[in-house]
Amino acid sequence: MEHAGTRVQQFIGDPVSDAPPVDRAKLEAIFSDIQSDMRFDHELNGCLNCGICTATCPSAHYYDYSPREIVQLLWTENLEGIYDAMQEKIWACAQCYTCAARCPFGNSPGGLVMVMREVAIKHGMESAKNVLRPFSRVMLKLISTGNQLAPDMINKEGFPDWGPNISKVDAPLATLRKAIPMPTLHTTKTAWEVNLKTSVELYTIWEETGVLGSLKTIDKNLHDVIADIMEEKRDELEEWLEEQAEE
Ligand code: SF4
Ligand code: SF4
């Protein structure tokens, strides 16, 4: 009997809406990037479809999200499903790794989600841009100073979603920080003071590990601001080193 043909879906897209189909080459490139990540084979060893991961997943309780579904999409190489999950669902994972501790196959759904997120950023997917946009202030602080949150960022304007709870941190922070024995904590502009050499070394790490390249893909303005700050810091360090050599 003649074989009916491949089961691999050729049409990728919504058959009802007018949305243009996603180019198959693009789907393959995205999956190839996920699959070629060195963590992929370590974190996906098969799947019983048992659902233990989803039963223990905190995010699955609150969102339309299931680590079992993510693993099944990857295991069955469902390119369109993988792309769809990367539009929204993968951003619901809390990266707690409860799933990895429970899976009888030794899979790490949370680890696979991490790989998919990195690939979403690499491909400049809209979902990655939307998810990371509210964190641009934190990213600026983190990359340019090595600190994440600074005390003076914790205010009503910065965290309107905290509601009345924000008043609980409405305290004389500058005075309180001065009372801490470590001098590097006597500031409210950063969580702690980072010296110039350390800042420049951190910048080199962000650069060499490709973090800045990824940032450029998803938020070019923020990347350019950080690049300017770091250029200034590098000049400052160079000047300081020259001064030291002259003394
Ligand atoms: S617990 Fe493991 S085997 Fe079971 S559905 Fe989740 S990933 Fe698959
Ligand atoms: S790492 Fe993600 S997928 Fe795994 S249990 Fe935690 S929230 Fe769920």
Side-chain angles (χ1 to χ4, degrees):
M1 195 176 93
E2 197 181 331
H3 197 274
T6 175
R7 282 189 294 127
V8 175
Q9 192 178 348
Q10 291 306 310
F11 176 79
I12 305 289
D14 186 336
V16 180
S17 79
D18 286 335
V22 181
D23 182 24
R24 187 164 187 91
K26 184 176 174 180
L27 298 180
E28 283 174 357
I30 286 173
F31 182 59
S32 161
D33 279 339
I34 295 170
Q35 205 176 25
S36 59
D37 189 286
M38 65 186 292
R39 292 163 289 181
F40 187 80
D41 285 339
H42 178 66
E43 292 172 347
L44 180 58
N45 307 300
C47 182
L48 283 168
N49 214 355
C50 65
I52 290 173
C53 51
T54 298
T56 58
C57 170
S59 295
H61 284 274
Y62 296 100
Y63 302 104
D64 176 19
Y65 169 74
S66 154
R68 180 198 59 74
E69 182 191 351
I70 302 289
V71 172
Q72 278 292 313
L73 290 172
L74 293 169
W75 183 241
T76 58
E77 304 189 2
N78 181 333
L79 304 192
E80 190 184 17
I82 290 166
Y83 184 81
D84 277 350
M86 289 168 80
Q87 298 295 326
E88 189 173 349
K89 289 186 179 176
I90 57 165
W91 304 100
C93 169
Q95 297 290 318
C96 68
Y97 293 96
T98 309
C99 51
R102 303 282 159 82
C103 173
F105 253 101
N107 297 331
S108 173
L112 292 164
V113 163
M114 178 68 89
V115 174
M116 293 166 87
R117 287 176 172 180
E118 288 174 16
V119 172
I121 290 170
K122 179 182 169 191
H123 285 262
M125 287 177 75
E126 213 50 44
S127 66
K129 292 180 185 173
N130 291 340
V131 164
L132 294 173
R133 196 167 291 123
F135 297 100
S136 55
R137 217 160 56 114
V138 172
M139 283 198 282
L140 173 64
K141 198 65 130 181
L142 182 63
I143 295 177
S144 61
T145 70
N147 282 237
Q148 197 180 17
L149 275 176
D152 64 4
M153 288 167 76
I154 303 171
N155 50 47
K156 285 177 198 156
E157 291 73 36
F159 292 89
D161 54 322
W162 282 20
N165 286 331
I166 194 74
S167 64
K168 291 179 187 165
V169 290
D170 196 8
L173 291 177
T175 310
L176 292 174
R177 297 279 290 189
K178 290 260 160 45
I180 301 173
M182 279 86 76
T184 53
L185 298 181
H186 291 176
T187 175
T188 57
K189 289 189 185 131
T190 48
W192 63 89
E193 269 170 17
V194 179
N195 76 32
L196 193 55
K197 185 165 177 278
T198 307
S199 287
V200 171
E201 283 172 353
L202 272 173
Y203 184 59
T204 306
I205 293 170
W206 301 123
E207 217 170 27
E208 295 294 322
T209 53
V211 170
L212 280 185
S214 300
L215 184 62
K216 200 172 183 178
T217 314
I218 53 162
D219 192 337
K220 186 165 180 315
N221 287 340
L222 179 59
H223 169 271
D224 292 349
V225 170
I226 290 172
D228 286 347
I229 292 172
M230 296 321 298
E231 208 177 290
E232 272 173 32
K233 284 197 180 181
R234 278 180 167 156
D235 289 346
E236 257 179 68
L237 180 64
E238 231 167 85
E239 276 170 29
W240 183 81
L241 289 171
E242 278 167 18
E243 279 170 23
Q244 296 300 306
E246 283 166 15
E247 279 174 13

